[in-house]
Amino acid sequence: MAATLKLLKLLRYRALCSPSACGAARSVSYWNVSSKQHGGQDPPEHISLCHSAKRVKNICSTFSSRRILTTSSACPGLEFSKTSSSKASTLQLDSPRATRVDEEDVEVFDSFANIRVFLQLRPEYRVHSYNASETSQLLSVSESELILHKVTVYQNKLQAQVIVDYLCKLSSLPAEQHPVLLRSTSFALLCQLSVKKIQLFDTQDLINVLKAFVILGIPHSHSMLDVYETKCCHQVWEMSMDQLLLVADLWRYLGRKIPRFLNIFSSYLNLHWKDLSLSQLVHLIYVIGENRQVSQDLMQKLESLILKYIDLINLEEVGTICLGFFKSKTSLSEFVMRKIGDLACANMQHLSSHALVNIVKMFRFTHVDHINFMKQLGEIAPQRIPSLGVQGVMHLTLYCSALRFLDEGVMNAVAASLPCRVAHCRSKDVAKILWSFGTLNYKPPNAEEFYSSLINEIHRKMPEFNQYPEHLPTCLLGLAFSEYFPVELIDFALSPGFVRLAQERTKFNLIKELYTLDGTVGIECPDYRGNRLSTHLQQEGSEFLWNLAEKDMNSKPEFLETLFLLETMLGGPQYVKHHMILPHTRSSDLEVQLDVNLKPLPFNREATPAENVATLRLKHVGVSLTDDLMNQLLKGKARGHFQGKTESEPGQQPMELENKAAVPLGGFLCNVADKSGAMEMAGLCPSACMQTPGMKLAIQFTNRNQYCYGSRDLLGLHSMKRRQLARLGYRVVELSYWEWFPLLKRTRLEKLAFLHEKVFTSAL
């Protein structure tokens, strides 16, 4: 005791370490990692427009063991103000292995332990991974006190190996003694001395000390660990592959990101990647995924190794590989994904739910449509969903919507299981599930219960939506696709305050989402009197979406040909307009207007030069359209039909129009291939420009991505667009891809006949 008091007195006036070591030791005195708790107080309830959701109690009770450290004014390196000391210097520690579960619950998911299951499947993993279940001979309290006393007395004389030995021995204390040890000034001093002597540590010393830190629960934010990461960086080229993976695994167990170490490790791997064994490869991909840091070049090399070992990999390892690539935002080739799908299909009944969800994530990320996998998932998922946590359910649902895969059995199982456990959902889960159902344009049998429970949960989670604003527009758009409009939530989402929050707090550009929501409310909620987007933001959203749509459509030769054929058939570009009738629906239209006699109107003034319009008006004066005049204009063609030879376009051979291809133009007699003749006719009737259209057609040029996979059912956004066009008085004309695309390979006459039938038959 006397020696300790003397030491404390001396250390008030003397610094024992370098500035960096002082900083590290200072942090030892107040180790702090906040512990996240599940549940907590619910936010205030809001009034919902739909039925109240069933309230459920979260029976999941998880908590982190807390270890307490107090501060001491032992030395300048460990000292801080009395104010800090008087405040709670009792700070929480959090270790991945500290979490435990009191009750069995499907919602309890240990995101750390569960994804490490693969490490138990091969003995080779023990060499290069940390095993928390390893036990050593326990150190008695009296032995630990003796060690700490030696640290205090002999601090200046302690050798590097002795410091390592002391740290390892102290980590063998019973777990209940760890808080006492971490409160000890002598232990803080030992950590400080380890920083001073770290340059003398070899690779095995580093590994042993990191293991001790893991066992004792040193927090990941401690600045002392900066010094240790630097030392690990210096040792990379002296380590074996097993040692490098073990060190990376220990840092993962400490819960600390190690970007500098991984950068150097990547350089090492670029030279030695071909030497990786199967277990090393899988473990490396796990490490890369958990740290979200990798070069794409290295991942391509690792993909080639996956193919090398593909027949030896078990299903849990497949899940680990998929998760690692998914978390590192690295795609796998379609060939590899199909191999993975084949492996999963061969034994899907024995595939763990965790591995299944990871594989599903990667299929969603790569957009590979493995048909057999989709089919088997549709059979097995409804059985698994009740035992899956809501996050797993969300990923399955999101996979279905991303691949446009509507399996009613899967969606019904999701809808049936969710209302009773909706309280477990995060804001992200609610958003993605609502988006998925809306995108697939599917309402389950229990739609009212399902939607009301989720809408009620949105109200409860409003504080969380303020933190993650990108999820609220996703929720509301998913609901809008399904024709649900909770006006209080919409009013909040379109308020200037939330719009400003969304622009400031998220990396995503939410203008197009908010613009789509705003435009939808304007059409489908005529009694809505709440907030709307400002004119400036509406203009910004409209221009942004039109630029995307125009660029997309003008890059498609099949669309350009369709537009040209329509112009030819109707009489010129002034009879058809390519634009977005509803800009907020994110796709363009080909608009045609007909008068009450089903004659095309030249309404597109953008396609008619001003001088031509003046000429047309002059021609209109005093002209009577008689039968003789019409026959003369049409060069003797039969009235009401077109047939015979057509005038060819430059560079094309003349075509014969057979009787079956003759198409009446609603009383307008013209040669569909003769654009100049059609322009002459338009000149005879310029007053048509001023006529009120009897019918407005919105021609939809569709593709397979607008429909559910393998079906002719429109997705939610496109179904909503057609619903809104109808509300505005448009008649929708579908140029369905399964009808129109095969015709693109046929003759020009057949295409024109098809378009004529579509336009004028739809108008009847």
Side-chain angles (χ1 to χ4, degrees):
M1 178 64 70
T4 302
L5 290 173
K6 183 178 179 182
L7 173 69
L8 295 176
K9 184 176 180 181
L10 288 173
L11 292 181
R12 286 181 183 276
Y13 305 99
R14 186 172 58 172
L16 297 178
C17 57
S18 66
S20 62
C22 276
R26 183 179 298 113
S27 298
V28 176
S29 62
Y30 54 105
W31 299 332
N32 176 28
V33 177
S34 61
S35 176
K36 294 182 179 179
Q37 300 294 322
H38 291 278
Q41 292 186 350
D42 292 336
E45 288 288 346
H46 295 260
I47 300 173
S48 174
L49 297 181
C50 299
H51 301 293
S52 298
K54 293 182 180 179
R55 301 298 302 271
V56 294
K57 182 179 179 181
N58 189 345
I59 62 172
C60 165
S61 176
T62 62
F63 60 90
S64 298
S65 60
R66 300 178 182 182
R67 300 200 175 102
I68 311 238
L69 291 165
T70 57
T71 59
S72 171
S73 299
C75 67
L78 298 175
E79 187 176 2
F80 61 102
S81 70
K82 291 182 180 179
T83 305
S84 301
S85 302
S86 63
K87 290 181 180 178
S89 54
T90 59
L91 302 166
Q92 296 171 323
L93 285 177
D94 188 19
S95 173
R97 51 188 183 74
T99 304
R100 63 188 178 91
V101 179
D102 283 349
E103 295 183 51
E104 193 70 28
D105 192 305
V106 296
E107 302 307 331
V108 177
F109 177 77
D110 188 338
S111 61
F112 183 83
N114 287 28
I115 62 177
R116 293 176 64 88
V117 170
F118 75 97
L119 293 171
Q120 303 169 16
L121 301 180
R122 297 181 191 271
E124 296 93 324
Y125 286 116
R126 298 173 190 168
V127 180
H128 47 79
S129 65
Y130 174 70
N131 185 359
S133 63
E134 287 180 358
T135 57
S136 59
Q137 185 175 357
L138 291 178
L139 185 73
S140 67
V141 175
S142 59
E143 288 175 311
S144 69
E145 290 175 346
L146 179 59
I147 290 174
L148 293 174
H149 178 70
K150 289 179 180 179
V151 169
T152 305
V153 175
Y154 301 113
Q155 53 174 307
N156 290 328
K157 299 179 181 179
L158 293 178
Q159 300 298 312
Q161 293 299 318
V162 175
I163 293 171
V164 173
D165 184 56
Y166 282 176
L167 285 169
C168 293
K169 286 182 177 179
L170 289 171
S171 69
S172 299
L173 271 170
E176 60 271 15
Q177 292 297 318
H178 290 177
V180 179
L181 173 67
L182 297 178
R183 284 199 296 266
S184 166
T185 301
S186 298
F187 179 74
L189 179 59
L190 179 61
C191 291
Q192 179 188 8
L193 292 172
S194 76
V195 170
K196 286 180 62 178
K197 301 283 187 179
I198 196 169
Q199 296 305 323
L200 301 176
F201 292 179
D202 61 20
T203 298
Q204 194 56 50
D205 292 335
L206 272 176
I207 291 172
N208 291 337
V209 172
L210 289 175
K211 283 184 178 180
F213 288 168
V214 168
I215 295 169
L216 293 171
I218 302 297
H220 66 80
S221 58
H222 195 290
S223 62
M224 173 180 67
L225 296 181
D226 287 334
V227 181
Y228 274 88
E229 184 188 352
T230 300
K231 178 60 178 175
C232 289
C233 291
H234 294 160
Q235 293 288 117
V236 166
W237 296 97
E238 298 176 19
M239 294 185 192
S240 67
M241 186 68 74
D242 286 337
Q243 288 175 325
L244 286 165
L245 286 170
L246 178 55
V247 167
D249 204 47
L250 288 166
W251 283 112
R252 172 59 189 145
Y253 238 94
L254 284 166
R256 184 180 176 90
K257 301 290 185 182
I258 45 171
R260 292 176 295 156
F261 175 79
L262 289 177
N263 278 335
I264 302 172
F265 190 9
S266 294
S267 300
Y268 178 95
L269 286 166
N270 278 319
L271 296 177
H272 301 282
W273 64 275
K274 291 183 179 179
D275 302 327
L276 288 167
S277 66
L278 172 57
S279 65
Q280 289 173 338
L281 171 66
V282 177
H283 192 189
L284 174 63
I285 293 172
Y286 159 78
V287 168
I288 288 171
E290 293 307 296
N291 287 275
R292 272 79 165 178
Q293 179 182 347
V294 69
S295 69
Q296 296 301 309
D297 180 60
L298 176 60
M299 294 306 276
Q300 289 179 3
K301 294 173 181 176
L302 298 184
E303 182 177 338
S304 67
L305 285 180
I306 293 171
L307 283 174
K308 174 183 174 182
Y309 293 119
I310 194 71
D311 294 329
L312 303 175
I313 298 174
N314 61 51
L315 291 177
E316 290 303 315
E317 289 170 329
V318 168
T320 301
I321 289 170
C322 287
L323 184 62
F325 272 78
F326 177 81
K327 285 187 172 183
S328 64
K329 297 181 180 179
T330 308
S331 185
L332 284 165
S333 67
E334 180 178 348
F335 181 76
V336 171
M337 287 308 302
R338 295 204 178 279
K339 286 281 188 182
I340 287 174
D342 293 341
L343 282 175
C345 290
N347 206 3
M348 191 175 285
Q349 289 291 341
H350 297 92
L351 185 64
S352 74
S353 294
H354 174 65
L356 177 63
V357 169
N358 290 339
I359 294 171
V360 157
K361 286 179 182 179
M362 202 59 200
F363 271 117
R364 169 167 63 88
F365 184 73
T366 56
H367 277 267
V368 173
D369 55 342
H370 192 293
I371 297 176
N372 195 25
F373 180 85
M374 295 163 76
K375 188 181 299 182
Q376 289 199 35
L377 181 68
E379 296 172 359
I380 196 173
Q383 308 162 22
R384 300 281 187 98
I385 284 170
S387 62
L388 269 181
V390 290
Q391 291 186 37
V393 172
M394 179 272 288
H395 282 297
L396 283 179
T397 313
L398 196 57
Y399 160 79
C400 290
S401 68
L403 272 75
R404 304 175 288 107
F405 171 52
L406 175 56
D407 186 292
E408 293 188 6
V410 174
M411 304 305 285
N412 289 344
V414 171
S417 72
L418 212 59
C420 64
R421 50 182 176 147
V422 70
H424 297 289
C425 291
R426 303 165 299 170
S427 61
K428 179 180 180 179
D429 301 323
V430 175
K432 301 301 185 184
I433 290 170
L434 283 173
W435 174 265
S436 298
F437 274 81
T439 295
L440 292 172
N441 199 22
Y442 181 71
K443 290 184 180 179
N446 64 331
E448 289 305 316
E449 179 192 23
F450 172 71
Y451 282 107
S452 64
S453 66
L454 287 170
I455 291 172
N456 197 47
E457 193 62 22
I458 297 173
H459 283 292
R460 293 181 63 249
K461 285 195 162 48
M462 286 310 293
E464 194 174 328
F465 284 108
N466 284 329
Q467 187 176 1
Y468 303 103
E470 63 271 19
H471 297 321
L472 184 57
T474 303
C475 287
L476 297 177
L477 285 178
L479 287 167
F481 295 164
S482 302
E483 298 183 81
Y484 286 87
F485 301 95
V487 293
E488 290 181 3
L489 295 173
I490 294 170
D491 181 51
F492 176 77
L494 296 178
S495 65
F498 182 81
V499 172
R500 186 167 53 253
L501 179 75
Q503 291 174 318
E504 293 172 355
R505 281 202 184 176
T506 179
K507 61 183 179 181
F508 305 102
N509 183 1
L510 299 182
I511 293 300
K512 62 178 183 177
E513 281 74 21
L514 293 171
Y515 178 59
T516 299
L517 180 63
D518 181 79
T520 294
V521 170
I523 296 174
E524 302 213 38
C525 302
D527 297 329
Y528 175 77
R529 296 295 180 266
N531 285 304
R532 298 288 301 272
L533 284 186
S534 66
T535 304
H536 169 71
L537 289 177
Q538 289 180 356
Q539 181 75 15
E540 182 181 334
S542 177
E543 290 177 358
F544 176 76
L545 292 173
W546 168 243
N547 289 336
L548 289 179
E550 185 180 33
K551 183 178 179 181
D552 177 52
M553 299 308 286
N554 287 340
S555 67
K556 296 178 177 178
E558 61 273 17
F559 170 77
L560 296 176
E561 182 182 359
T562 305
L563 176 59
F564 174 74
L565 288 171
L566 277 171
E567 292 174 351
T568 299
M569 182 190 76
L570 295 172
Q574 69 270 34
Y575 291 94
V576 58
K577 185 175 183 180
H578 175 220
H579 68 134
M580 298 174 84
I581 298 172
L582 301 175
H584 64 277
T585 57
R586 310 184 186 186
S587 58
S588 61
D589 312 82
L590 294 172
E591 183 176 356
V592 172
Q593 295 185 5
L594 306 176
D595 67 10
V596 292
N597 296 316
L598 300 185
K599 298 176 182 178
L601 297 176
F603 71 101
N604 185 8
R605 294 186 171 244
E606 296 174 8
T608 306
E611 59 272 17
N612 288 0
V613 173
T615 304
L616 293 176
R617 288 175 179 166
L618 288 173
K619 285 186 178 181
H620 178 62
V621 178
V623 175
S624 299
L625 291 179
T626 65
D627 290 345
D628 291 338
L629 177 59
M630 292 300 294
N631 287 330
Q632 183 181 353
L633 287 171
L634 294 176
K635 301 177 182 179
K637 296 291 189 293
R639 181 177 180 178
H641 294 76
F642 67 90
Q643 58 188 22
K645 292 187 177 181
T646 65
E647 295 180 17
S648 60
E649 294 292 328
Q652 291 185 340
Q653 295 297 321
M655 296 186 300
E656 291 288 337
L657 283 177
E658 301 182 43
N659 289 333
K660 63 179 181 180
V663 283
L665 293 183
F668 248 89
L669 307 176
C670 71
N671 185 327
V672 295
D674 189 348
K675 192 182 288 188
S676 60
M679 289 290 288
E680 272 190 320
M681 285 196 330
L684 295 174
C685 305
S687 60
C689 298
M690 310 300 296
Q691 293 180 19
T692 301
M695 183 173 297
K696 296 184 293 184
L697 305 180
I699 301 174
Q700 306 300 303
F701 185 84
T702 68
N703 60 70
R704 66 180 68 252
N705 291 332
Q706 296 179 3
Y707 297 85
C708 291
Y709 188 90
S711 81
R712 296 180 180 179
D713 299 322
L714 281 165
L715 296 178
L717 174 63
H718 305 287
S719 177
M720 182 182 78
K721 175 183 178 179
R722 285 149 176 79
R723 188 169 72 233
Q724 293 177 9
L725 285 170
R727 282 178 178 268
L728 294 181
Y730 281 87
R731 182 165 294 186
V732 177
V733 178
E734 301 283 357
L735 285 185
S736 305
Y737 74 89
W738 59 85
E739 293 179 317
W740 180 238
F741 280 25
L743 272 177
L744 291 174
K745 300 177 182 178
R746 307 295 290 272
T747 66
R748 189 160 179 262
L749 280 177
E750 290 175 293
K751 297 176 205 174
L752 289 168
F754 176 82
L755 289 174
H756 181 274
E757 181 182 359
K758 276 289 181 181
V759 169
F760 291 101
T761 302
S762 300
L764 294 177

